[in-house]
Amino acid sequence: MTKKLVSLALQGGGSHGALTWGVLDRLLEDERISIEAISGASAGAMNAVVLAHGYLQGGREGARQALKVFWESVASSSPFSRSYEEYGFMQDIVAQSDISAGMKHLFGLTRFFSPSQLNPFDINPLRDILAAQIDFDALRRQDGIKLFIATTQVSTGSLKLFRNRQLSLDVLLASACLPMVHRAVEIDGEAYWDGGLTSNPPLFPLVHQCMARDIVAILLHAQAQSHTPTSASEIWQRLTEMGFSSTFHTELQGLMLAKRQAERGWLALGKLERRLRHLNMHMIAAPELMSQLSSHSKMNASPAFLHSLQAEGRLRADAWLAESFEQLGRGSTFRMAHLFR
């Protein structure tokens, strides 16, 4: 059986990360795929660490089970009670994505009040879920899947990556710390916010510190819109999307430009040039679906919504494997024009 070594780049996007859960579940099911490294921000960081920890405990099936336990724990902490079976499938995901008027009102208040005012006790259900499921000491001690977890250093506004040996509960919470919802997470005297603000997801560590020729990016944000937003809510939503995806676009454009230049050179004497020549980029996404989901739906952790996204993620990964597996190690299946058309 032919095995293909890949690195994964996981985008953040709140509860939309359940789509990534589905993609990962399907990739782990395919024994032809081996994962060398994972980079991630926010929900992407959660998926990365949960997968890596589960893999250490029980291989592929351990990783699949760990992801299932994590997302079902997130769902069980949701105030929504309708079960997955009460809904249809993909055609109803958009209908399920809406959240209550009360939650929308709370989301709106974040524009006018600080986290210390809205959430004085800094309540975060993820803290208990992650503390119960992840043995960070074991994760730091053992060599396994390479991890690159993105955070944003508040004092400088710059990206800070944490590797396996540096991981902790605070690092993971910092990677998903939305500035308007939670107070900054302090690590070694420095304050950190959501990693998606500066790299969503990081690509350069997968290029410079890994061997896999193929990088598969799993994206959650709508990449293009057919109309110009006009209402206040539409403008706010689009600004939010742009803020959490522009860094990825910039890094990806720079990477693809550098790869093109390396391929044009007559001689590739440097290690980086040789690496870029043989680097292949791939993308798994659901752009037409994500363009229909509001930014508010990233706070929707209802079981039906999360399970529907997970099922859709499996379908997207299955289609990608059928279409692109043979191309792994041979060339990119991603084209920049696909992202910005």
Side-chain angles (χ1 to χ4, degrees), residues 46-234:
M46 303 286 171
N47 278 320
V49 171
V50 170
L51 184 156
H53 183 262
Y55 200 93
L56 281 176
Q57 302 299 310
R60 292 175 181 274
E61 287 305 311
R64 294 181 67 201
Q65 180 62 21
L67 287 165
K68 183 176 185 291
V69 169
F70 171 75
W71 282 102
E72 291 188 346
S73 297
V74 171
S76 68
S77 67
S78 166
F80 297 84
S81 59
R82 292 185 68 181
S83 69
Y84 174 45
E85 288 75 16
E86 291 180 65
Y87 291 100
F89 188 48
M90 179 188 167
Q91 63 269 29
D92 292 326
I93 296 179
V94 176
Q96 299 167 30
S97 70
D98 203 11
I99 58 178
S100 68
M103 289 294 285
K104 283 185 178 180
H105 179 63
L106 178 61
F107 190 79
L109 289 176
T110 61
R111 305 185 203 181
F112 305 102
F113 297 94
S114 72
S116 296
Q117 293 170 306
L118 286 176
N119 189 5
F121 298 106
D122 202 26
I123 297 171
N124 187 349
L126 285 174
R127 181 182 289 110
D128 294 335
I129 292 171
L130 292 167
Q133 186 175 353
I134 305 296
D135 183 345
F136 286 96
D137 287 335
L139 201 58
R140 287 191 296 267
R141 286 195 308 267
Q142 301 179 54
D143 293 322
I145 295 172
K146 297 176 184 176
L147 296 173
F148 304 94
I149 303 305
T151 65
T152 299
Q153 193 174 61
V154 178
S155 61
T156 62
S158 60
L159 170 68
K160 167 68 175 179
L161 287 176
F162 289 87
R163 298 285 306 273
N164 299 55
R165 308 272 180 198
Q166 304 166 304
L167 290 179
S168 67
L169 177 58
D170 282 341
V171 166
L172 208 47
L173 291 175
S175 186
C177 178
L178 289 171
M180 302 307 293
V181 179
H182 296 289
R183 282 176 283 182
V185 178
E186 189 170 303
I187 302 171
D188 296 331
E190 283 284 352
Y192 293 92
W193 278 339
D194 195 302
L197 295 167
T198 47
S199 191
N200 192 21
L203 293 176
F204 74 87
L206 303 180
V207 176
H208 292 278
Q209 300 182 46
C210 299
M211 296 178 59
R213 289 188 174 190
D214 297 273
I215 297 176
V216 183
I218 303 173
L219 306 184
L220 301 178
H221 292 280
Q223 305 304 326
Q225 281 195 349
S226 59
H227 71 283
T228 302
T230 55
S231 69
S233 61
E234 288 178 333

